[in-house]
Amino acid sequence: MSVQTSIDAIFLEKETKERRTRNRLAMILVAFLAILRRDLVVTGREFIPFLIQVLLQPLFFLFIFGKVLPSIGAAQQSYASLLLPGIVGLTVVTTALQGVTLPLVLDLGFGREIDDRLLAPLPVSLVALEKILFAALRGLVAGAIIFPLAYWVLGSNYNVRTDAIGVIIGIMVLTALAGATLGLTIGTLVKPEQIGLMFALIFTPLIFTGCTYYPWSQLDGIRWFQVITLFNPLTYACEGLRYAMVPPIHGYTLPTLGIGWVLLGLGVTFVGFLGLGIYTFRRAVIS
Amino acid sequence: MTTTHREQAISLLAETREELAIDVRALVKRYPRSKVNAVDSISFSVRRGEIFGLLGPNGAGKTTTIGILTTSVLPTSGSVRIMGIDVVRDPIGVKQRISVVPQRSNLDQSLRAREILTFHAAYHGVPRAEREARADALLKELGLEGRGREKIGRYSGGMAQRLMLARALMHSPDVLFLDEPTNSLDPQSRLFLWDRIRAMHERGVTILLTTHDMEEAEQLCERIAIMDHGRILVLDTPDNLKKLVPGGTCLELRVRLPQEALVATGQEAASVDGLRSQLEQLPGHPRVEEVPSDDEQDAQGLRSLRLYCEQAGELAVEALRIVSAAGAELRDLHVARPSLEDVFIHLTGRNLRS
Ligand SMILES: Nc1ncnc2c1ncn2[C@@H]1O[C@H](COP(=O)(O)OP(=O)(O)OP(=O)(O)O)[C@@H](O)[C@H]1O
Ligand SMILES: [Mg+2]
């Protein structure tokens, strides 16, 4: 009997109806934060698998290329310093990108689990924005964890400038946002049956033309390739991080892409794919 | 004088418009790269507190209509107002006041059952204590008490359906959209869900449901629009719809036509058409229609004929005589009041399920 009254209360409740007349901006903000909280709860619950998923690959890269190869003389000791910013950039971009793309492709394909959020009282573009913010956050967390990981793996080969932490953080944030918006665009355009193709056609070139494993300035000899890398947002992320992370080695300062170009490259990627991604997202969820 | 009349008329008009929960006018939807309209200029309105049904076969445009009414599909033309709010101009205002139970499950697989309810309420701004209490009450109401901690991967189809209904009720919607709510449920779950839907109706929620199940429409709906090919063929109360079928009652005969062997012996071949024209000569000249049969029945030579007239029962003996005289075998005979299915067959010449 008490349940009965409680159910009745749900429908007779004046408060609910009155709540609706309240400030619309407040209502939208409440919905947005609740959606963000949902993602935090879900990710929090699988935090360990999340870490393994994003950190295992960088761990091996750092170990093989930063530790093993220099030890057997196949690479210079200083290579680790060049590699680390590349690994951080790569991890931030791929974690942020995949954090949007994979769930979105599946969701729009058959699960439609996102529907309940699309029917929440907020503009659907804010549902997309929440995905971007949250995936960027995941990218930042993964990128930040690379530092202690590298300190542990590289040992004496770990050399990072400590006088430009603000710049490092700024570039990482911009990189994460750029990666997430790129992920939104890809995620709304790729169909579930094309996921395999997407890895081959998008991720592989993205990883290998992004100046992750080599500094851009040393590509002078392969001019055409040097130009190609400029079309990859990852290049700006890695070069920006090299600029802020690599200390002078034996008095020699590594030349990198200018910080102005880095900010421009990442900024254009972010703004461009933000607009494009929200447009394709709206088209995918409202037919 | 005239001004007061005018004012009265205007305020009356405003009032009636205000009274409507759903108001659809000349609504058209054509999907991109499609040659036909999925929804083809439909108009209807639903009063507050009413249960309204859209009945139609697969592809009639029911889900598309619900999609437009719930802001997830953009109309090509026409207007829709939900609780007085235009769905295109103010989708957020509409989303606040409605709930949808979709045709296919779209439950959030990453959450536990109870969290699906509480997060839904949180999206809609229901305060924490309130949403916790509501989740408990609704889980109990829908027979899911004690199953709230499970992930919904383990839920059966019927449980998922009930959970979606519970979710839909978490934020006290004014209008509830149910897209084929009991499709693919076993009879028991179906009855349970019907019961819950009626209970929501009694509490004053406006409900629009789609179905291709005649019985469901008859059982639940106060008014029904029969849809086919994106158009509304008729819209009325179930009782009035049944009056559309000429003749008050219907006599259904299931017969097995004589096999080739019989025909070969020189007896007059009994075709369906022959049988039909003979039956039409019965007193009162009943209208005779053949019910479309499925392939399996065809293979066995089984045919169903319906005779519509005021007192179809009185024709039974005579009809039986005609059937046996034609050398056909009577398999089944019964008198029925026309159902919505008859209405649909009468209107389209097709079976609802085909
Ligand atoms: N997203 C879409 N893009 C293109 N065409 C669509 C889309 N959704 C539905 N259609 C088409 O619109 C028509 C109406 O479909 P709809 O899903 O509204 O029918 P329905 O009455 O809900 O059918 P069912 O009983 O099978 O659920 C169909 O011809 C369908 O192929
Ligand atoms: Mg449908």
Side-chain angles (χ1 to χ4, degrees):
Chain A
M1 213 53 227
S2 64
V3 171
Q4 197 65 23
T5 47
S6 172
I7 291 283
D8 283 334
I10 294 177
F11 292 100
L12 302 176
E13 200 213 354
K14 277 274 182 303
E15 245 179 74
T16 313
K17 322 265 159 170
E18 278 160 12
R19 201 180 294 131
R20 286 176 187 153
T21 57
R22 261 186 2 205
N23 186 344
R24 181 159 283 207
L25 271 181
M27 170 183 82
I28 290 173
L29 187 68
V30 164
F32 186 83
L33 292 178
I35 291 174
L36 197 61
R37 191 167 59 81
R38 178 229 170 247
D39 279 347
L40 284 170
V41 166
V42 170
T43 298
R45 226 170 249 168
E46 46 192 40
F47 195 64
I48 301 295
F50 162 69
L51 285 186
I52 293 172
Q53 195 186 326
V54 299
L55 293 180
L56 210 58
Q57 209 188 354
L59 178 76
F60 275 108
F61 261 113
L62 286 171
F63 178 65
I64 300 295
F65 289 91
K67 186 86 181 171
V68 175
L69 293 193
S71 304
I72 62 175
Q76 290 177 340
Q77 291 294 331
S78 60
Y79 181 60
S81 314
L82 299 180
L83 180 67
L84 181 56
I87 296 295
V88 173
L90 180 67
T91 304
V92 172
V93 167
T94 52
T95 307
L97 191 150
Q98 292 186 13
V100 187
T101 303
L102 290 181
L104 204 55
V105 170
L106 297 178
D107 231 10
L108 297 176
F110 13 76
R112 299 302 308 193
E113 287 169 53
I114 202 172
D115 280 0
D116 198 33
R117 282 163 272 167
L118 294 173
L119 283 168
L122 79 175
V124 292
S125 50
L126 285 187
V127 177
L129 196 66
E130 185 277 339
K131 283 207 160 291
I132 290 172
L133 283 186
F134 188 72
L137 191 68
R138 280 167 56 118
L140 283 176
V141 169
I145 295 176
I146 296 287
F147 287 88
L149 197 70
Y151 183 78
W152 172 63
V153 172
L154 298 177
S156 61
N157 285 345
Y158 178 88
N159 289 304
V160 175
R161 268 172 68 186
T162 49
D163 57 334
I165 289 176
V167 183
I168 297 176
I169 292 173
I171 291 174
M172 280 174 67
V173 169
L174 205 50
T175 301
L177 287 171
T181 54
L182 189 59
L184 178 70
T185 308
I186 297 171
T188 50
L189 294 177
V190 170
K191 294 180 180 58
E193 59 271 21
Q194 299 168 333
I195 285 186
L197 198 63
M198 169 183 81
F199 273 98
L201 279 180
I202 299 176
F203 285 168
T204 312
L206 185 81
I207 290 167
F208 288 101
T209 66
C211 293
T212 312
Y213 310 108
Y214 42 84
W216 185 79
S217 57
Q218 285 169 15
L219 296 177
D220 279 344
I222 332 171
R223 190 72 190 167
W224 64 270
F225 186 62
Q226 197 177 32
V227 172
I228 282 180
T229 59
L230 290 177
F231 290 97
N232 187 340
L234 188 55
T235 297
Y236 300 93
C238 295
E239 283 293 298
L241 288 170
R242 275 194 190 106
Y243 164 84
M245 283 168 66
V246 180
I249 302 159
H250 312 304
Y252 167 77
T253 307
L254 180 79
T256 64
L257 265 181
I259 187 70
W261 291 112
V262 166
L263 295 179
L264 186 70
L266 291 176
V268 166
T269 306
F270 171 58
V271 174
F273 282 106
L274 180 67
L276 184 61
I278 284 182
Y279 170 75
T280 52
F281 181 80
R282 285 189 60 92
R283 241 190 27 181
V285 299
I286 301 181
S287 40
Chain B
M1 257 301 278
T2 43
T3 46
T4 48
H5 267 296
R6 217 179 108 84
E7 273 162 21
Q8 267 178 359
I10 287 173
S11 76
L12 200 70
L13 210 67
E15 221 168 76
T16 47
R17 188 136 184 157
E18 178 66 17
E19 284 295 303
L20 294 177
I22 302 174
D23 189 17
V24 177
R25 299 199 176 175
L27 184 64
V28 175
K29 175 62 185 183
R30 179 178 298 208
Y31 285 104
R33 289 182 296 282
S34 169
K35 287 200 176 63
V36 292
N37 292 338
V39 170
D40 197 6
S41 192
I42 62 171
S43 301
F44 64 91
S45 51
V46 179
R47 294 184 309 274
R48 296 197 178 180
E50 191 176 8
I51 302 195
F52 185 89
L54 285 177
L55 176 71
N58 291 134
K62 307 182 295 292
T63 300
T64 303
T65 304
I66 287 207
I68 298 171
L69 270 49
T70 58
T71 77
S72 66
V73 176
L74 280 177
T76 306
S77 66
S79 79
V80 176
R81 295 171 83 85
I82 307 288
M83 302 303 283
I85 304 170
D86 189 290
V87 290
V88 177
R89 277 198 215 106
D90 183 10
I92 299 173
V94 169
K95 287 193 279 187
Q96 261 187 297
R97 290 166 174 79
I98 62 163
S99 267
V100 193
V101 175
Q103 196 169 350
R104 281 192 314 148
S105 165
N106 65 354
L107 292 167
D108 196 331
Q109 308 270 349
S110 313
L111 299 175
R112 299 176 206 284
R114 195 167 178 285
E115 288 172 333
I116 289 177
L117 305 187
T118 50
F119 269 112
H120 176 91
Y123 303 157
H124 284 270
V126 179
R128 180 182 299 270
E130 180 66 36
R131 60 185 186 242
E132 298 294 333
R134 286 184 183 195
D136 288 335
L138 282 168
L139 282 173
K140 189 162 185 185
E141 166 92 358
L142 287 158
L144 294 170
E145 213 181 7
R147 309 295 299 259
R149 290 192 55 76
E150 286 171 45
K151 286 227 177 161
I152 44 100
R154 284 203 241 143
Y155 266 34
S156 71
M159 289 167 70
Q161 197 70 18
R162 281 180 274 154
L163 188 64
M164 286 200 286
L165 185 57
R167 178 182 69 182
L169 300 173
M170 282 296 289
H171 68 283
S172 317
D174 294 331
V175 187
L176 184 58
F177 293 90
L178 307 171
D179 199 354
E180 303 197 11
T182 63
N183 203 15
S184 78
L185 294 189
D186 63 39
Q188 199 188 343
S189 312
R190 216 159 68 112
L191 289 178
F192 179 82
L193 220 56
W194 283 358
D195 206 43
R196 296 303 93 185
I197 292 171
R198 285 197 198 96
M200 295 310 140
H201 170 58
E202 275 156 25
R203 292 181 172 104
V205 187
T206 308
I207 299 172
L208 185 146
L209 63 85
T210 77
T211 181
H212 52 216
D213 179 347
M214 272 45 66
E215 199 193 346
E216 182 159 288
E218 279 187 78
Q219 284 282 327
L220 294 177
C221 302
E222 291 167 294
R223 286 190 308 144
I224 295 166
I226 297 186
M227 267 189 103
D228 192 28
H229 298 306
R231 289 172 177 272
I232 291 181
L233 303 178
V234 280
L235 189 169
D236 216 324
T237 60
D239 283 343
N240 283 343
L241 286 179
K242 284 184 221 159
K243 287 188 193 140
L244 287 177
V245 183
T249 53
C250 136
L251 178 71
E252 181 165 332
L253 303 168
R254 246 154 64 90
V255 299
R256 189 156 165 272
L257 293 180
Q259 302 295 298
E260 269 87 356
L262 269 178
V263 180
T265 59
Q267 238 175 315
E268 197 175 318
S271 65
V272 173
D273 288 335
L275 208 53
R276 195 162 148 169
S277 57
Q278 280 186 306
L279 289 170
E280 275 168 352
Q281 300 308 315
L282 285 171
H285 295 282
R287 202 168 51 84
V288 182
E289 280 180 6
E290 187 178 356
V291 183
S293 55
D294 55 38
D295 289 345
E296 193 191 330
Q297 287 177 329
D298 259 353
Q300 297 177 357
L302 287 176
R303 300 300 184 92
S304 295
L305 291 168
R306 280 183 185 170
L307 285 70
Y308 296 96
C309 75
E310 285 310 324
Q311 293 298 334
E314 292 172 2
L315 299 177
V317 177
E318 282 298 291
L320 194 58
R321 195 185 52 75
I322 291 174
V323 169
S324 50
E329 182 188 337
L330 186 74
R331 283 300 183 83
D332 185 35
L333 176 149
H334 67 264
V335 181
R337 299 205 58 79
S339 68
L340 284 178
E341 178 149 30
D342 299 311
V343 178
F344 188 81
I345 294 170
H346 172 67
L347 290 170
T348 67
R350 286 184 293 121
N351 214 327
L352 248 174
R353 292 201 179 270
S354 62

